[in-house]
Amino acid sequence: KAGVTQTPRYLIKTRGQQVTLSCSPISGHRSVSWYQQTPGQGLQFLFEYFSETQRNKGNFPGRFSGRQFSNSRSEMNVSTLELGDSALYLCASSLGQGGRFSYEQYFGPGTRLTVT
Amino acid sequence: QKEVEQDPGPLSVPEGAIVSLNCTYSNSAFQYFMWYRQYSRKGPELLMYTYSSGNKEDGRFTAQVDKSSKYISLFIRDSQPSDSATYLCAMSLMRGGNKLTFGTGTQLKVEL
């Protein structure tokens, strides 16, 4: 079974620009979560999508948004980039429903975003 | 104070040693507990997933949860150089779905 894939793997953007990152979950998984990883703050939850609806949201500004498509693929968007947005952005997929082990999350390799 | 505390290390042990990694947490509502391993420049890899208190064993790995003390542990037996990585604990609420709260990670180095 193929794992979680993320594209692109690396991105360099300039302050003020916007960026869109993509995530394809494991086949059959309906939940996609996004996390930001930085050396200072560690891994922080951004949001979760399940069946095309945002189900959970972390404490990030509105510049961070996401969506999920009917095939469970997800995108996240960051508008008006700031230097502090430089991070590894990880997405994770899970079944998301039906039993206590349906929340096992499997991570992709991440997209490393550098804002200059 | 962070909800989940984890000693960042680095922790250096000789090959074959038993490694003990720990996390403490403050939110008693956490019900699901996970351990991830992350190699440099890779995404986290799920090692262990446990629900509520107790022990779970998988090969060389044992996860332990003590909800009364708000303390979780991961033991690695017969450690190998390939175990050198950062180990992250994570936890979520019963009805929190997939909102994981992570520790900062412990960097482990297993030396020959």
Side-chain angles (χ1 to χ4, degrees):
Chain A
K1 206 181 231 187
V4 178
T5 58
Q6 291 187 247
T7 56
R9 293 294 310 280
Y10 302 92
L11 262 180
I12 299 175
K13 289 286 188 178
T14 305
R15 263 184 309 176
Q17 288 186 314
Q18 75 164 11
V19 67
T20 299
L21 312 181
S22 181
C23 173
S24 292
I26 292 170
S27 176
H29 284 190
R30 295 168 62 192
S31 168
V32 173
S33 300
W34 289 89
Y35 294 83
Q36 181 195 66
Q37 187 174 31
T38 60
Q41 298 297 318
L43 265 153
Q44 293 186 287
F45 175 80
L46 280 154
F47 31 66
E48 179 207 3
Y49 285 86
F50 178 79
S51 291
E52 301 179 66
T53 301
Q54 189 178 87
R55 183 161 71 171
N56 276 300
K57 190 177 187 307
N59 298 322
F60 278 81
R63 300 186 296 108
F64 292 83
S65 63
R67 59 178 176 167
Q68 186 179 35
F69 302 96
S70 58
N71 62 357
S72 295
R73 191 178 69 84
S74 177
E75 289 181 345
M76 71 163 277
N77 183 274
V78 189
S79 63
T80 320
L81 284 165
E82 299 177 2
L83 294 178
D85 297 333
S86 294
L88 181 66
Y89 289 88
L90 294 156
C91 90
S93 79
S94 71
L95 290 170
Q97 191 176 46
R100 66 189 193 195
F101 295 106
S102 63
Y103 297 112
E104 290 185 1
Q105 290 190 55
Y106 297 89
F107 282 82
T111 294
R112 187 163 296 279
L113 172 65
T114 302
V115 182
T116 61
Chain B
Q1 189 186 2
K2 293 194 171 194
E3 272 192 293
V4 180
E5 298 281 355
Q6 185 176 9
D7 187 336
L11 177 63
S12 184
V13 301
E15 184 180 9
I18 296 175
V19 176
S20 172
L21 303 166
N22 311 294
C23 286
T24 58
Y25 61 95
S26 57
N27 189 345
S28 58
F30 284 134
Q31 293 284 344
Y32 298 96
F33 304 91
M34 286 134 270
W35 285 95
Y36 285 86
R37 175 175 65 193
Q38 186 174 25
Y39 293 111
S40 181
R41 300 198 168 273
K42 303 281 187 182
E45 172 194 5
L46 180 63
L47 284 177
M48 301 290 279
Y49 179 97
T50 53
Y51 170 73
S52 201
S53 284
N55 291 1
K56 182 177 181 180
E57 189 174 316
D58 185 1
R60 296 185 296 114
F61 299 93
T62 298
Q64 210 170 66
V65 174
D66 182 350
K67 290 195 69 188
S68 62
S69 302
K70 299 194 189 72
Y71 188 87
I72 69 170
S73 301
L74 178 71
F75 298 96
I76 307 174
R77 289 182 298 281
D78 188 26
S79 55
Q80 304 294 311
S82 58
D83 294 328
S84 298
T86 296
Y87 289 79
L88 298 145
C89 64
M91 43 201 81
S92 67
L93 304 172
M94 171 71 82
R95 299 195 184 282
N98 285 319
K99 182 178 179 179
L100 292 179
T101 301
F102 280 87
T104 51
T106 299
Q107 189 178 351
L108 171 68
K109 184 171 184 182
V110 181
E111 307 204 62
L112 289 168

